[in-house]
Amino acid sequence: MTNHFPVEKLQNIETPFYYYNMELLEQTLQVIKEESSKYGYHIHYAVKANANKRILETINSYGLGADCVSGNEVSASLDAGFPSEKVVFAGVGKSDKEIITGLKNNIGCFNVESIPELEVINELAEKEGLVANVALRINPNVKANTHHYITTGLEENKFGIYIWDLEKVMDKIDELNNVNFKGIHFHIGSQINDLDSYKQLCTRVNELQELFEKRRAIPQIVNVGGGLGVDYENPDENPMPDFKAFFKIFDEFLELKEGQEVHFELGRSVVCQCGSLISRVIYVKEGVNTNFAIVDAGMSDLIRPALYQAYHKIQNLTSSGEEEKYDVVGPICESSDCFGKAVVLPTTQRGDLICIRSAGAYGEIMANQYNLRALPKGFYSSDL
Ligand SMILES: *Cc1c(COP(=O)(O)O)cnc(C)c1O
């Protein structure tokens, strides 16, 4: 099970660090490309999941676009080679400076979330003598079955334009000379494993299309966002999600108008399973009811367990002893600095390599320097 980790080579690297299985990343990209091209779908990678340069370059080499949520992500995508017309810029709070970065680089589209933002983009585009393509991010009011921190498509949250405001927003677009209505955009949440949520999204999009048809403003792009989930429990059995079934849902349920393109923004499902956080056991401490395996990685390296009580599979790569239970904790001065409670591991000792799986998405990119720790580095299977 653990044998696709080059353990001897990993032993020589200073821990903690991120290890990326680049073959798995490429296999995943190949499947995405094959399954999406059956329907002519356009795929953008959501850069916020992992903006590591090598990863961005690999993703670009498979022809995906880049979905960015900050000016720096726009710049990083262009640096990694993404063509500017395949770069889109989303986010509820774009600053003037970030908008200007997008405009000056001629990016493909701004996904707009409010009337004030629309006005600012128009004003800045006018100053630059440009017309900006915009897509409207609409809050579709679809409940995705997932963690409440990561659902986004419901009425009472900050994301997107409410359906009842759409006419007003479209009137505004008609008034403005330096924005061009290009598309509609939706994103219902993250780590969604129940494809029914996507069926519901399709139904909602179909209903909304009528509003645009009445106004004779047919959006060229229908962007249905990302959010496809991965199997954190069984990363070896399910190293990638069922992309075939995912794209098929949209082919079956989305009713398109002539000339419309369907766009996706996949983040986690592209990069999650290829990444692991590798750390070393510093001490094993016996408690009253539990043993602690204290590792040299902490919540500063991977914050998901502390932030969302997220589950990550944990393995000991160097022991094959009898199974025991450990709380796997980091060195940081916070009790939430815990990667897993009562984790079953072979007898674990100081010096063992501990692997925290499915950490390629929202892992390295969320690392911080709390306790003045160094940021973790990335290492790539293809270099070892
Ligand atoms: C985060 C985000 C995505 C990607 O979500 P994943 O769950 O990583 O696929 C796509 N679109 C928008 C607007 C986002 O905010």
Side-chain angles (χ1 to χ4, degrees):
M1 217 190 347
T2 56
N3 57 10
H4 49 263
F5 285 91
V7 176
E8 277 174 27
K9 288 172 179 159
L10 299 179
Q11 289 268 32
N12 298 324
I13 303 173
E14 189 186 345
T15 49
F17 62 92
Y18 277 89
Y19 169 69
Y20 294 106
N21 180 338
M22 299 306 274
E23 290 75 35
L24 177 57
L25 176 60
E26 297 213 24
Q27 282 164 19
T28 307
L29 289 164
Q30 186 60 35
V31 171
I32 292 173
K33 193 169 156 179
E34 276 169 25
E35 295 301 330
S36 64
S37 64
K38 283 182 186 167
Y39 312 109
Y41 291 161
H42 298 244
I43 315 298
H44 290 79
Y45 166 63
V47 175
K48 75 172 193 273
N50 188 323
N52 183 307
K53 184 142 196 221
R54 283 281 291 273
I55 296 213
L56 290 183
E57 285 170 349
T58 306
I59 293 172
N60 175 47
S61 76
Y62 280 77
L64 281 74
D67 168 47
C68 304
V69 291
S70 73
N72 285 350
E73 282 190 3
V74 169
S75 305
S77 303
L78 295 169
D79 283 351
F82 286 91
S84 59
E85 69 274 12
K86 283 196 187 175
V87 173
V88 300
F89 186 5
V92 65
K94 303 176 190 77
S95 72
D96 292 20
K97 189 177 162 196
E98 291 178 309
I99 292 170
I100 292 168
T101 300
L103 288 169
K104 288 209 161 138
N105 286 297
N106 245 322
I107 61 164
C109 198
F110 289 86
N111 293 343
V112 172
E113 307 212 9
S114 67
I115 289 184
E117 182 191 341
L118 205 50
E119 290 172 333
V120 172
I121 293 176
N122 185 69
E123 188 189 314
L124 297 172
E126 192 178 353
K127 276 190 199 148
E128 301 288 332
L130 298 167
V131 175
N133 286 329
V134 296
L136 297 179
R137 176 165 179 184
I138 303 168
N139 184 328
N141 209 7
V142 168
K143 183 165 171 33
N145 257 332
T146 180
H147 194 289
H148 75 99
Y149 285 132
I150 46 182
T151 65
T152 57
L154 273 181
E155 263 166 50
E156 67 277 15
N157 70 52
K158 68 177 178 180
F159 297 107
I161 293 164
Y162 300 135
I163 289 169
W164 51 86
D165 283 339
L166 262 182
E167 293 277 2
K168 211 165 65 190
V169 177
M170 289 301 291
D171 290 344
K172 182 51 92 179
I173 290 185
D174 290 344
E175 272 172 38
L176 302 173
N177 293 322
N178 295 75
V179 291
N180 171 41
F181 176 63
K182 188 85 175 168
I184 50 177
H185 170 223
F186 307 85
H187 176 66
I188 56 172
S190 205
Q191 185 52 18
I192 297 167
N193 287 312
D194 173 11
L195 292 182
D196 264 358
S197 302
Y198 289 110
K199 269 191 212 171
Q200 282 180 47
L201 173 63
C202 290
T203 309
R204 189 55 55 90
V205 174
N206 296 341
E207 289 164 15
L208 279 168
Q209 290 251 44
E210 287 169 27
L211 182 149
F212 293 97
E213 184 145 53
K214 266 196 213 128
R215 295 187 66 111
R216 303 188 185 210
I218 306 283
Q220 185 197 329
I221 295 171
V222 177
N223 182 335
V224 291
L228 181 61
V230 301
D231 190 344
Y232 282 96
E233 268 85 23
N234 308 293
D236 292 308
E237 293 79 352
N238 296 312
M240 64 181 91
D242 190 347
F243 289 110
K244 184 176 182 167
F246 175 68
F247 292 123
K248 195 155 178 284
I249 290 274
F250 293 88
D251 180 56
E252 268 180 46
F253 293 96
L254 207 53
E255 293 160 10
L256 296 176
K257 312 284 174 197
E258 212 179 302
Q260 280 185 326
E261 297 171 6
V262 183
H263 291 212
F264 292 82
E265 304 164 335
L266 299 174
R268 188 191 313 268
S269 54
V270 182
V271 292
C272 191
Q273 299 290 27
C274 79
S276 302
L277 176 61
I278 310 289
S279 66
R280 210 176 284 277
V281 177
I282 318 178
Y283 304 111
V284 174
K285 182 171 150 179
E286 284 180 23
V288 181
N289 298 311
T290 183
N291 295 323
F292 293 97
I294 303 169
V295 299
D296 60 8
M299 63 191 277
S300 61
D301 304 295
L302 176 66
I303 203 173
R304 298 187 70 257
L307 192 58
Y308 312 119
Q309 293 87 49
Y311 172 83
H312 286 265
K313 183 170 182 151
I314 301 174
Q315 293 169 317
N316 184 327
L317 295 181
T318 47
S319 164
S320 52
E322 268 183 53
E323 292 190 333
E324 289 183 52
K325 282 185 184 165
Y326 299 89
D327 284 9
V328 178
V329 301
I332 292 173
C333 309
E334 288 284 339
S335 8
S336 57
D337 186 27
C338 174
F339 291 112
K341 285 197 190 300
V343 181
V344 176
L345 294 174
T347 306
T348 293
Q349 291 175 322
R350 173 176 165 84
D352 284 352
L353 273 193
I354 297 291
C355 173
I356 303 174
R357 302 289 304 272
S358 314
Y362 308 105
E364 187 183 356
I365 194 66
M366 282 184 148
N368 61 72
Q369 289 202 279
Y370 185 45
N371 287 192
L372 211 51
R373 290 164 56 80
L375 289 173
K377 292 199 179 99
F379 291 83
Y380 311 89
S381 57
S382 43
D383 290 350
L384 295 182

